């Protein structure tokens, strides 16, 4: 897959981020290299493919995460995806606490993105 262009609105978001700046920068590189387009939706960086939401950045106090919109439909043989909460039906997230977590997870993130693109394409 080819890397997509940076979105200036995501650049602005990143510049204003006080926590998780480096983690998001690392995620962003991986997600764009996987062919996702970055946008701002719900006031956060959201990564799409052919106009369909694939994953969104979630900053929290103790962790940051990539929330896969249709995570429950993804193959997750290593069990890395976590539930959002008891009322969440399909969204699952991949959690991080450091840049090292993000960079170490690059193959997993890339494979989950490919899987999510396939799920979206299948309808």
């Amino acid at each position: 897959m080819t890397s997509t262009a940076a979105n200036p609105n995501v650049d602005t978001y990143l510049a204003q981020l006080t926590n998780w700046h480096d983690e998001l920068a690392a995620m962003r590189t991986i997600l764009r290299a996987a062919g996702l387009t970055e946008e701002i939706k719900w006031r956060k960086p959201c990564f799409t493919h052919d106009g369909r939401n694939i994953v969104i950045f979630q900053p929290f106090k103790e962790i940051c995460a990539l929330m896969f919109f249709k995570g429950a439909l993804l193959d997750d043989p290593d069990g890395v995806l976590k539930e959002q909460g008891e009322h969440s039906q399909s969204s699952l997230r991949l959690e991080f606490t450091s840049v090292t977590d993000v960079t170490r997870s690059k193959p997993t993130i890339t494979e989950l993105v490919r899987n999510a693109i396939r799920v979206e394409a299948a309808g």
Side-chain angles (χ1 to χ4, degrees), residues 30-44:
I30 296 166
L31 296 169
R32 287 179 37 219
L36 297 183
T37 301
E38 53 185 27
E39 303 177 31
I40 294 289
K41 293 186 178 184
W42 304 283
R43 296 184 303 242
K44 295 182 186 98

Side-chain angles (χ1 to χ4, degrees), residues 35-106:
L36 297 183
T37 301
E38 53 185 27
E39 303 177 31
I40 294 289
K41 293 186 178 184
W42 304 283
R43 296 184 303 242
K44 295 182 186 98
C46 181
F47 298 83
T48 64
H49 187 266
D50 289 338
R52 296 180 178 190
N53 298 331
I54 301 296
V55 65
I56 192 166
F57 173 70
Q58 294 182 309
F60 297 104
K61 184 178 179 182
E62 302 291 327
I63 62 156
C64 64
L66 288 175
M67 193 272 298
F68 287 84
F69 288 92
K70 294 186 179 174
L73 300 176
L74 302 180
D75 293 329
D76 184 20
D78 297 327
V80 295
L81 293 173
K82 299 185 180 193
E83 291 185 5
Q84 292 273 100
E86 65 180 272
H87 299 293
S88 179
Q89 297 287 323
S90 64
S91 300
L92 297 176
R93 70 181 179 218
L94 190 55
E95 298 176 350
F96 305 95
T97 58
S98 68
V99 173
T100 301
D101 283 352
V102 175
T103 55
R104 190 177 345 167
S105 298
K106 180 181 177 180

Side-chain angles (χ1 to χ4, degrees), residues 1 34-36 49 54 112-122:
M1 297 190 159
L36 297 183
H49 187 266
I54 301 296
L112 287 169
V113 166
R114 287 183 184 142
N115 195 348
I117 290 169
R118 284 192 296 270
V119 166
E120 280 298 332

